[in-house]
Amino acid sequence: MRFIPLIILIIFTTSCEYFRKPKEPLAVARVANEILYQKDIQNLVPKGTSKEDSIAIVKAYLDRWATQKLLFNGAEINLSKDKTEEYEKLINQYKIDLYTKGYLEELVFKKIDTVVTEEQIKEYYEKNKQYFKNPSELVKLRYINLVKENPKFENIKAKFTSFAKKDIKYLEDLSIQFKSYAFNDTIWVDANQVFQKLPFINLENKNRYLADGINYQYPDSTTVWLVKVNKVLPKDSTTPLQFLIPTIKQVIINNRKLELIKTIEKEITDDAIKNKKYEVYN
C-alpha cells in the first residue's frame, strides 16, 4: 500500500499544472488595443542573417505594421459613411470572388481530364497554325568544333559531309575529341541559340552563314568549325509544331477548364432551381 502517497503526489502535481494560469504570449508592439506578438514575427528573419540586419528587418516590419494600423484606425474614424459602405461592398465582393474561385478550382481539379493526345495536339495545330508565327529565324543544322591539329581532321570532315549512318557512329565514337558538336539536324533550333553555340555567327552576318543547304568550315585562332545547314525558316513563318507542343497542350487543358467551369456553374444553378433554393420572382 506504500504506492498510495506517490499516486496522490502525481495527482496533486497534475492538478497544479491544470489550474496554473496559461503562459501568455510575448508581446513585441502595440497600437491602441491591437498587439503584435513574438509568434507573429518568428519567421520574419531568414536564418543566417546578421544581428544588425535582423534588427533592421524587424524594426522596418514593426514600423510598417504600426503605420498601417494607425492609418486604418484613422480611416475608420474619418472616412465618410458613403465611402466606408462602398469599401465594404468591395470587400464583400472580393470575399465572394475569392471563395467561389477557390471552390471552382477544387471542383475542376477533381474532374478535369489532363490527358492530351498527339492527335488532339496536331488537330488543334492544323486548325490554328495561321496564328502561330515564329519571332526569329529557325534553323536545322549540324556542326563540329575541333582543334586544327587533330590528326584525323580530313577523315572527320569527310564523314561529317557524308553523314551516313555508319559515319554518324564513327563521329559519335570520336566525339570526346571535339570541343563541341551537334548531330541532330532534323529538329528546328532558334537562331538565337545558334548565335550562342556558334559565336562567329551574329545578326550582321547570319545571312552569310545560315542559308539552305550550305556546307562550310570556319577557322578561328585555335579551332575549326565544320557546319552543315539543312534548312532555314524565315522570321514570321508558320511556327513548326515541334516548338508549340507544350503551349498547345496547355491551351487545350485551359479550354477544357473553361468548359468545365461553365458546366459546373450551370449544374449548380439548375440543381438549386430544382430544389427550390433559387427562385426568380416576377
Side-chain angles (χ1 to χ4, degrees):
M1 301 298 289
R2 291 181 181 178
F3 60 91
I4 292 178
L6 180 59
I7 292 175
I8 294 172
L9 178 60
I10 293 172
I11 293 173
F12 178 75
T13 304
T14 305
S15 300
C16 289
E17 290 293 329
Y18 182 80
F19 289 110
R20 184 176 295 166
K21 185 178 179 181
K23 186 177 181 181
E24 294 184 0
L26 181 63
V28 293
R30 179 185 65 81
V31 169
N33 294 323
E34 296 193 57
I35 297 176
L36 185 71
Y37 293 100
Q38 188 179 48
K39 63 182 178 62
D40 298 322
I41 62 170
Q42 61 184 3
N43 297 318
L44 181 63
V45 179
K47 290 182 179 179
T49 305
S50 67
K51 182 179 179 181
E52 292 78 10
D53 289 342
S54 299
I55 293 171
I57 291 171
V58 173
K59 179 67 167 57
Y61 181 86
L62 294 180
D63 288 346
R64 181 62 180 160
W65 175 82
T67 301
Q68 287 184 325
K69 294 298 181 184
L70 291 167
L71 286 171
F72 182 75
N73 293 343
E76 285 188 313
I77 297 170
N78 295 294
L79 284 177
S80 67
K81 183 180 179 183
D82 290 343
K83 206 66 177 175
T84 54
E85 288 178 353
E86 177 188 345
Y87 288 157
E88 286 299 322
K89 287 179 182 178
L90 290 173
I91 291 168
N92 289 334
Q93 186 58 53
Y94 177 72
K95 181 179 179 180
I96 291 170
D97 292 342
L98 192 64
Y99 273 63
T100 54
K101 182 176 181 291
Y103 182 48
L104 279 171
E105 285 178 350
E106 286 193 10
L107 293 175
V108 168
F109 178 76
K110 292 176 181 177
K111 296 183 178 182
I112 189 71
D113 177 12
T114 57
V115 176
V116 181
T117 65
E118 289 184 15
E119 290 73 18
Q120 290 169 329
I121 291 173
K122 289 178 181 177
E123 181 182 0
Y124 186 92
Y125 175 76
E126 291 301 324
K127 287 181 178 178
N128 299 279
K129 63 181 179 181
Q130 68 270 25
Y131 303 114
F132 299 116
K133 305 296 181 183
N134 48 290
S136 61
E137 292 89 349
L138 300 178
V139 186
K140 287 183 178 180
L141 85 169
R142 63 180 182 267
Y143 69 86
I144 294 175
N145 181 223
L146 69 165
V147 295
K148 291 178 178 179
E149 294 78 12
N150 191 300
K152 298 180 180 179
F153 177 78
E154 291 301 327
N155 200 28
I156 290 171
K157 181 180 176 182
K159 300 289 186 183
F160 178 80
T161 302
S162 171
F163 218 60
K165 194 170 183 178
K166 61 179 181 179
D167 298 326
I168 298 173
K169 178 67 170 57
Y170 173 85
L171 293 172
E172 287 176 341
D173 290 341
L174 286 181
S175 61
I176 193 170
Q177 300 179 19
F178 305 150
K179 302 283 286 185
S180 64
Y181 68 95
F183 292 155
N184 193 347
D185 57 2
T186 62
I187 65 169
W188 291 107
V189 179
D190 190 285
N192 293 304
Q193 291 179 276
V194 176
F195 300 156
Q196 293 177 3
K197 298 295 184 180
L198 285 71
F200 63 91
I201 306 177
N202 52 53
L203 284 171
E204 286 71 31
N205 64 20
K206 63 180 180 179
N207 293 333
R208 180 178 170 189
Y209 294 109
L210 298 178
D212 289 355
I214 61 172
N215 188 354
Y216 61 88
Q217 63 184 62
Y218 179 91
D220 58 24
S221 57
T222 59
T223 68
V224 61
W225 298 81
L226 302 176
V227 183
K228 167 64 177 176
V229 180
N230 283 346
K231 188 75 176 174
V232 177
L233 193 63
K235 179 181 177 181
D236 294 325
S237 301
T238 300
T239 306
L241 177 59
Q242 167 203 330
F243 277 84
L244 297 170
I245 289 174
T247 301
I248 291 176
K249 181 178 179 181
Q250 193 57 54
V251 168
I252 291 172
I253 293 174
N254 288 342
N255 288 341
R256 288 177 184 174
K257 286 181 179 178
L258 293 175
E259 290 301 318
L260 188 53
I261 287 172
K262 290 179 183 177
T263 301
I264 291 171
E265 289 176 339
K266 187 176 186 306
E267 289 176 350
I268 288 174
T269 305
D270 290 345
D271 187 62
I273 293 171
K274 180 180 178 181
N275 293 299
K276 307 297 183 183
K277 292 181 179 179
Y278 170 43
E279 294 180 289
V280 176
Y281 301 114
N282 295 325

